[in-house]
């Protein structure tokens, strides 16, 4: 049955299917998707970087991820269009002691200023130290000026990364990962007298984690009379990178290690059946209307031990009957989810490689393409198309202002030539040193609102590392605003 026939005969099912897409990670076996865009949904990834942090402010989402040489921020009115947002560079540094390996920025509002916390070094990893910037005005995107280095007196010359701020009983505390008697990357908490001054020694927290390597990225939730500290464990390159949790009564002193109660086992971890590996380095944010709690985190689509392919994703969390947070299980990369409560709407839709679409989109092929479901959870709706025949094309037709192409990278992939509306071609290498699914291959320039095409032409060429010249086509994400 064609999508057009489905629309005529089953229009009343559109709303129901839109809800179901938010609950499942793959398609019904033989149901054609409706061609009307499902309002209020989105799909991951939100960003191609790791170590995400999100805050909502004055009708916008603000996102940072690790960029290495600077701090960049993405701003969007909807969670679903963060991938479409243009980056704002909010900080670069000329000080050679702190202008390299800039990692894990987080930003918080105190008073009418924003404070941006991060770690950086001089090019040597063990020289990582913690720093804070202060905004010049009441705007998360800055501009910022350097405020101070954050140094607990008992760890003045020690490795430190992943700063996070604990707000407890009207006081501020610096939580971070650094050297202590338990790990090289262990959890530490130090008192602060204001957002930019550490006022005492750090105490070490002996946190469990299911593996010996690290305890890092501490984050906090406050509810039901307790403070909940979640943190990541195992090396971030491993597929078993995961999130564990401790809690503290709201009236207890966080600088007394014995006041923290350890939860048993990981609370957020790999989901092989969803193609999600190494979920961790996370943060929490509220929906725009303040009614929902969400987790933002990075994860991979490969079980290989690698620091590449860590992309930013988000999903809603809930709360258990005993008052503890329930982070759930990581969803498949392309799973369609409802937007956060109060989100004005993303204005996006998808086009699958088999022609199904949730909006005014389609795809057509010339030449002989392979297709099948062997990609499974690595691909959107469990299938993709691929070809190594020079001259073969796949053409997405869409109505919108921008299009993103996501598909598999692999050791046997080659070079494609992409063009918008028949214009100049841009060569894009689909090769990857390890196989990864649902990878952002291409994000088009911004286009005038209207009807457009994206053509992917197989060149039959590949780089010296690749074993073949295949080009994979999986999902297109269309932006309409």
């Amino acid at each position: 049955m064609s999508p057009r026939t489905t629309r005529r005969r089953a229009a009343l099912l559109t709303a129901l299917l839109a809800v179901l897409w938010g609950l499942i990670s793959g398609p019904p076996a033989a149901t054609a998707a409706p061609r009307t865009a499902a309002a209020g949904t989105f799909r991951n990834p939100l960003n191609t970087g790791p170590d995400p942090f999100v805050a909502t402010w004055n009708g916008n989402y603000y996102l940072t991820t690790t960029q290495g040489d600077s701090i960049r921020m993405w701003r969007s009115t909807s969670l679903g269009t963060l991938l479409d947002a243009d980056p704002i560079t909010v900080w670069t540094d000329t000080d050679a002691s702190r202008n390299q390996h800039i990692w894990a920025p987080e930003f918080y509002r105190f008073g009418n200023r924003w404070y941006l916390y991060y770690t950086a070094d001089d090019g040597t990893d063990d020289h990582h130290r913690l720093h804070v910037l202060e905004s010049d005005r009441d705007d998360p995107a800055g501009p910022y000026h350097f405020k101070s280095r954050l140094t607990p007196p008992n760890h003045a010359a020690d490795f430190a990364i992943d700063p996070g701020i604990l707000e407890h009983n009207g006081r501020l505390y610096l939580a971070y990962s650094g050297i202590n008697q338990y790990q090289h990357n262990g959890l530490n908490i130090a008192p602060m007298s204001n957002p930019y001054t550490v006022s005492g020694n750090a105490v070490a927290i002996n946190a469990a984690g299911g593996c010996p390597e690290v305890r890092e990225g501490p984050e906090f939730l406050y509810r039901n009379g307790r403070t909940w500290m979640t943190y990541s464990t195992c090396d971030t390159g491993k597929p078993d990178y995961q999130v564990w949790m401790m809690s503290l009564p709201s009236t207890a002193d966080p600088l007394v290690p014995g006041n923290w109660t350890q939860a048993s086992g990981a609370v957020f971890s790999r989901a092989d059946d969803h193609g999600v590996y190494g979920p961790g380095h996370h943060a929490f944010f509220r929906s725009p209307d303040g009614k929902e709690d969400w987790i933002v985190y990075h994860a991979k689509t490969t079980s290989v031990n690698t620091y590449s392919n860590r992309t930013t994703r988000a999903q809603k969390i809930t709360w258990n009957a005993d008052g503890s947070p329930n982070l759930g299980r990581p969803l498949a990369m392309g799973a369609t989810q409802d937007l956060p409560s109060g989100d004005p709407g993303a204005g996006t839709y998808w086009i699958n490689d088999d022609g199904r679409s949730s909006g005014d989109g389609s795809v057509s092929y010339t030449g002989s393409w392979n297709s099948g479901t062997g990609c499974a959870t690595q691909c959107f709706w469990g299938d993709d198309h691929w070809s190594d025949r020079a001259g073969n094309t796949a053409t997405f037709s869409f109505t919108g202002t921008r299009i993103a192409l996501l598909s598999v990278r692999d050791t046997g992939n080659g070079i494609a030539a992409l063009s918008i509306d028949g214009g100049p071609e841009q060569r894009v290498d689909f090769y990857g040193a390890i196989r990864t699914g649902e990878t952002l291959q291409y994000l088009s320039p911004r286009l005038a609102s209207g009807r457009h095409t994206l053509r992917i032409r197989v060149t039959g060429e590949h780089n010296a590392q690749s074993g073949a010249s295949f080009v994979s086509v999986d999902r297109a994400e269309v932006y309409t605003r």
Side-chain angles (χ1 to χ4, degrees):
M1 183 182 295
S2 73
R4 292 185 183 275
T5 303
T6 300
R7 181 174 60 181
R8 290 195 299 268
R9 296 184 182 181
L12 293 178
L13 293 177
T14 300
L16 175 60
L17 287 173
V19 173
L20 290 176
W21 287 334
L23 300 176
I24 59 177
S25 59
T31 301
R35 298 183 68 87
T36 301
T41 62
F42 79 101
R43 286 145 299 281
N44 286 314
L46 306 182
N47 189 274
T48 57
D51 306 335
F53 187 86
V54 167
T56 55
W57 174 250
N58 276 354
N60 285 294
Y61 296 85
Y62 293 83
L63 164 71
T64 53
T65 62
T66 289
Q67 299 296 301
D69 61 348
S70 63
I71 298 175
R72 298 185 184 95
M73 189 173 287
W74 288 262
R75 177 176 58 203
S76 176
T77 57
S78 175
L79 191 71
T81 48
L82 277 169
L83 186 65
D84 176 50
D86 293 324
I88 305 164
T89 299
V90 299
W91 184 250
T92 57
D93 205 329
T94 58
D95 188 320
S97 71
R98 58 173 193 251
N99 66 356
Q100 298 186 58
H101 302 155
I102 300 172
W103 295 348
E106 299 192 359
F107 49 101
Y108 302 81
R109 184 175 185 261
F110 300 116
N112 62 353
R113 291 293 181 267
W114 290 81
Y115 293 87
L116 201 159
Y117 302 84
Y118 66 101
T119 182
D121 66 25
D122 58 2
T124 300
D125 181 42
D126 261 353
H127 295 171
H128 264 107
R129 302 293 186 266
L130 307 180
H131 311 282
V132 59
L133 311 174
E134 183 182 64
S135 68
D136 295 343
R137 58 176 184 247
D138 194 0
D139 186 342
Y144 285 92
H145 58 270
F146 186 82
K147 190 65 175 178
S148 66
R149 180 173 153 184
L150 299 171
T151 308
N154 60 332
H155 289 292
D158 291 339
F159 170 89
I161 61 171
D162 295 356
I165 300 299
L166 165 62
E167 302 177 61
H168 190 78
N169 280 338
R171 296 194 61 187
L172 299 179
Y173 300 84
L174 174 69
Y176 67 96
S177 178
I179 291 175
N180 62 30
Q181 61 265 45
Y182 306 113
Q183 286 98 20
H184 180 277
N185 295 34
L187 294 181
N188 301 283
I189 301 176
M192 303 181 77
S193 56
N194 57 46
Y196 49 86
T197 305
V198 175
S199 57
N201 287 337
V203 299
I205 306 296
N206 187 12
C211 60
E213 300 100 307
V214 301
R215 311 289 184 262
E216 62 187 15
E219 296 294 332
F220 300 94
L221 286 166
Y222 311 92
R223 186 159 166 166
N224 301 320
R226 299 190 74 82
T227 292
W228 307 88
M229 177 172 65
T230 53
Y231 55 94
S232 300
T233 76
C234 302
D235 189 284
T236 189
K238 292 184 174 180
D240 289 318
Y241 193 58
Q242 57 194 249
V243 178
W244 285 56
M245 182 170 70
M246 305 181 82
S247 67
L248 176 80
S250 294
T251 56
D253 184 351
L255 297 177
V256 177
N259 288 341
W260 291 94
T261 299
Q262 180 74 58
S264 177
V267 294
F268 200 63
S269 58
R270 62 188 285 175
D272 294 32
D273 56 329
H274 291 169
V276 180
Y277 303 94
H281 201 110
H282 62 293
F284 300 103
F285 65 97
R286 304 300 300 274
S287 60
D289 63 5
K291 295 180 179 179
E292 296 173 347
D293 294 295
W294 284 68
I295 183 173
V296 61
Y297 61 98
H298 76 230
K300 302 180 293 186
T301 58
T302 176
S303 61
V304 174
N305 186 346
T306 176
Y307 296 105
S308 64
N309 186 238
R310 296 178 295 161
T311 58
T312 290
R313 312 161 188 211
Q315 62 190 69
K316 188 172 72 170
I317 69 171
T318 58
W319 294 85
N320 296 314
D322 66 358
S324 62
N326 185 341
L327 306 191
R329 299 184 71 233
L331 298 174
M333 171 79 93
T336 297
Q337 304 178 61
D338 290 335
L339 286 164
S341 178
D343 190 299
T348 64
Y349 64 90
W350 52 260
I351 308 171
N352 192 41
D353 66 281
D354 66 0
R356 289 175 288 182
S357 176
S358 63
D360 186 15
S362 62
V363 62
S364 60
Y365 298 90
T366 65
S368 177
W369 288 71
N370 303 292
S371 64
T373 58
C375 189
T377 55
Q378 284 194 321
C379 286
F380 184 66
W381 289 78
D383 57 8
D384 67 340
H385 279 63
W386 65 97
S387 175
D388 64 349
R389 300 292 182 89
N392 282 1
T393 64
T395 301
F396 287 91
S397 298
F398 63 97
T399 299
T401 59
R402 205 172 200 185
I403 189 169
L405 177 66
L406 296 96
S407 64
V408 171
R409 285 187 184 164
D410 206 349
T411 56
N413 280 7
I415 296 169
L418 279 66
S419 60
I420 295 290
D421 298 334
E425 291 186 331
Q426 176 180 335
R427 291 169 65 87
V428 177
D429 195 345
F430 283 41
Y431 168 80
I434 56 175
R435 179 185 173 91
T436 58
E438 279 289 284
T439 303
L440 180 65
Q441 307 279 21
Y442 172 77
L443 183 62
S444 79
R446 297 192 184 280
L447 308 168
S449 180
R451 192 71 175 167
H452 300 282
T453 60
L454 167 65
R455 189 182 74 163
I456 302 103
R457 180 175 64 84
V458 180
T459 66
E461 302 170 0
H462 60 82
N463 67 41
Q465 290 74 43
S466 181
S469 301
F470 286 99
V471 170
S472 171
V473 174
D474 183 17
R475 164 167 66 109
E477 191 78 11
V478 178
Y479 301 91
T480 61
R481 301 175 185 172

